[in-house]
Amino acid sequence: EVRLVESGGGLVQAGGSLTLSCATSGFILGDYVVGWFRRAPGAEHEGIACISNSLGGETLYAYSAKGRFTIHSDKANNMVYLQMSSLKPEDTAVYYCAASSWGYDTKTEAREYNYWGQGTQVTVYS
């Protein structure tokens, strides 16, 4: 059974940093594309970052995240991370990791992912 379990969310001051973790199981990480999404109250899922674990670690970032957020995978330990810095109150949301078995190319839309974690709350205060 494919499982994605997130951790690392919490309360952080604006300008600070936070790293989210996604522990994966039930599949070979190198065969899947993994992305991070977030959902603010009343909003749709917003794609933040994506990594293709089968194409030399190719990554794709949302414009709002590029330069502040970094996605990377530790395939040996079946982990995917989202390192966040220079956090803003607008980053406050529930953050999800998701995986796709539907090809090796990077993906930007929530509908392109078939497995999802439970989400972890990130709150940025100023």
Side-chain angles (χ1 to χ4, degrees), residues 22-24 29 73-81:
C22 179
T24 73
L29 186 56
S73 297
D74 180 354
K75 290 187 284 187
N77 292 297
N78 301 311
M79 298 290 294
V80 181
Y81 301 95

Side-chain angles (χ1 to χ4, degrees), residues 24-65:
T24 73
S25 61
F27 66 100
I28 299 173
L29 186 56
D31 291 338
Y32 283 62
V33 174
V34 177
W36 284 94
F37 293 80
R38 66 188 183 189
R39 189 172 190 175
E44 301 290 332
H45 285 88
E46 177 190 6
I48 302 301
C50 173
I51 184 166
S52 176
N53 296 298
S54 298
L55 296 174
E58 181 184 7
T59 58
L60 184 67
Y61 294 92
Y63 182 82
S64 62

